[in-house]
Amino acid sequence: MVDAADNWVCGPVACSYDAAVPQLSSGLPPLPGLPWESLSHRQVLAELAGEGWVPCGVGDWAVALRSPEGTLVARVCPFDPAYGAFVDLCRECAGNRWLPRIELAVGLEGGGSVVFLEFVAPVDHPVEGQLAEQWRTRGSDPEFQEVRRAAHRIDAEYRASTPWWGRCDLDDAHIFRAADRPVLIDVFCMAGTELYGAILEDVAGVYRRIPRERMRYALDIPYIARENSAAEILALRKAWARAAE
């Protein structure tokens, strides 16, 4: 449960045609000037939708909205400690063609986050055509090797400091396409099955490892609403409420 990478950018229905991915040089939209740290993910979703950002994908952990101009996507997440590792990777390797450009990444009230990055679209897997050739030759690509080295170092850092850390995957399942190149998306993940199992068994113990104020909306992740039965959702919410008793 919830331990797959959060490939959220576009679902299969929305990607039934092969539209061009816009160049960032076509003009960036102004980012909303909101007091991010005082807003929950719910409020951010409402604010962005009110300004014309359109939902374009739902992953296991986050919802994505595309800017009215189509050049950016906002990843709005109620809870996902692993995504901080991906932001760190993109910042450490800024300008690397294998990673998307991030315009803004901020924490939200209750432990959520919103990240604004360049819009990317899925490719057919296994990767086809020119992307397949670039992927086959990645071993000799110095930019890919830079990403690999940084990703493994960040993975080790988060593994040592983040409870229920999952893994790092630099495989073709994480290849998407930007306007002019393939990019890697969401290469880190949490061990979601173990984490949510621990919430059911001992939520107070979970809070001792991850403070409640940093995971206030952990039950709002899309995976739970999409995949869990009503009985499973009720069990999670009863377990969550036990810590307040």
Side-chain angles (χ1 to χ4, degrees):
M1 172 182 127
V2 248
D3 52 4
D6 194 19
N7 293 336
W8 44 263
V9 175
C10 191
V13 175
C15 292
S16 59
Y17 63 94
D18 188 23
V21 179
Q23 294 275 2
L24 279 181
S25 59
S26 62
L28 291 175
L31 296 180
L34 298 173
W36 303 110
E37 291 82 358
S38 66
L39 300 178
S40 71
H41 70 286
R42 300 169 184 172
Q43 293 168 309
V44 169
L45 286 170
E47 291 283 353
L48 291 177
E51 295 197 21
W53 291 64
V54 180
C56 63
V58 178
D60 287 350
W61 298 81
V63 175
L65 298 93
R66 192 172 183 179
S67 66
E69 298 81 359
T71 51
L72 294 180
V73 64
R75 180 190 188 271
V76 184
C77 179
F79 170 70
D80 182 7
Y83 205 74
F86 184 66
V87 171
D88 288 349
L89 178 65
C90 291
R91 286 174 166 167
E92 182 170 332
C93 300
N96 189 299
R97 67 184 179 87
W98 282 101
L99 294 170
R101 288 183 283 274
I102 290 181
E103 299 300 317
L104 177 68
V106 291
L108 303 176
E109 181 270 326
S113 63
V114 58
V115 179
F116 294 88
L117 62 159
E118 68 177 302
F119 178 79
V120 299
V123 298
D124 292 333
H125 298 306
V127 182
E128 295 181 351
Q130 183 181 8
L131 292 181
E133 180 58 29
Q134 292 184 60
W135 187 250
R136 281 194 295 271
T137 60
R138 69 194 185 279
S140 59
D141 183 332
E143 286 191 279
F144 187 88
Q145 292 309 314
E146 177 192 29
V147 171
R148 182 192 295 275
R149 288 191 298 271
H152 288 314
R153 183 172 62 256
I154 290 169
D155 176 59
E157 293 170 356
Y158 274 75
R159 188 176 302 279
S161 62
T162 306
W164 292 283
W165 182 251
R167 61 186 183 274
C168 170
D169 287 326
L170 299 174
D171 56 34
D172 63 29
H174 300 270
I175 289 287
F176 283 67
R177 62 185 176 91
D180 55 354
R181 70 202 191 283
V183 293
L184 288 159
I185 288 288
D186 300 348
V187 298
F188 304 102
C189 69
M190 296 289 288
T193 299
E194 290 79 3
L195 171 57
Y196 283 85
I199 289 173
L200 285 170
E201 294 176 5
D202 181 15
V203 69
V206 172
Y207 292 157
R208 286 193 291 271
R209 302 184 68 187
I210 305 177
R212 183 168 183 158
E213 60 269 20
R214 288 171 45 201
M215 58 182 309
R216 187 168 299 148
Y217 304 105
L219 301 191
D220 282 14
I221 65 169
Y223 182 96
I224 292 175
R226 184 179 67 243
E227 301 292 341
N228 285 30
S229 68
E232 290 168 331
I233 291 172
L234 179 61
L236 279 168
R237 297 204 173 276
K238 284 184 175 180
W240 193 260
R242 281 200 294 271
E245 294 175 352

